[in-house]
Amino acid sequence: MLILRCPAQLQRLEDALRRSTPAALPVLGTVLTVARGNPASYEVLVDTWPQFSVILTRLRPEDNKDPRDFYANQLTVFYQDEGAWRALLGGTQVVDWTRAFQIHGMQDGMYEAVREVTDAKGLQLE
């Protein structure tokens, strides 16, 4: 995953997400925050750039000290390819499964993908 920091990249991503509302709203809000100064220390990750399949936003890991605080450890997701979302969940370290966290998104298949990965890892999903 690539972390977007460049204002031009964030603007381009913002424009793309606006065309995908309402499904992209949770991610769009964080992208707007990051592009306008990032007072909350979030980061915007994409699987590839400029043609992305998955966008994930989260608090910077170094700013999230408590592994049990699922309020601070919130992830938002928007994907254009459910297969890419499933691959990201199961095969990368982007989602830290050793921490309590929340995932926010508005797309069909998101919950089912998370459920499958948690079941495979023997973790509890609430």
Side-chain angles (χ1 to χ4, degrees):
M1 298 286 289
L2 306 168
I3 299 173
L4 297 186
R5 293 186 180 99
C6 172
Q9 289 175 327
L10 291 168
Q11 181 62 52
R12 186 171 176 182
L13 181 60
E14 182 182 325
D15 294 341
L17 290 172
R18 286 182 188 277
R19 291 189 298 272
S20 296
T21 56
L25 281 175
V27 169
L28 178 58
T30 306
V31 170
L32 291 170
T33 298
V34 171
R36 286 155 179 79
N38 200 16
S41 298
Y42 279 92
E43 57 187 14
V44 177
L45 297 96
V46 293
D47 59 341
T48 57
W49 186 256
Q51 301 299 325
F52 59 87
S53 296
V54 180
I55 303 167
L56 184 82
T57 66
R58 66 181 182 190
L59 189 64
R60 289 185 200 140
E62 61 270 14
D63 292 333
N64 187 1
K65 306 281 190 239
D66 187 353
R68 297 167 294 156
D69 186 355
F70 63 89
Y71 287 110
N73 195 14
Q74 294 185 43
L75 311 171
T76 58
V77 66
F78 173 74
Y79 52 86
Q80 297 176 338
D81 176 8
E82 188 175 336
W85 167 235
R86 289 174 181 274
L88 180 139
L89 282 174
T92 67
Q93 299 302 317
V94 173
V95 177
D96 185 353
W97 294 96
T98 64
R99 297 174 147 298
F101 62 89
Q102 297 181 48
I103 297 179
H104 300 276
M106 298 176 59
Q107 294 173 272
D108 291 336
M110 189 188 78
Y111 173 80
E112 291 80 6
V114 173
R115 167 63 73 192
E116 288 175 16
V117 173
T118 57
D119 288 347
K121 292 181 179 284
L123 300 172
Q124 180 182 356
L125 176 65
E126 294 179 13

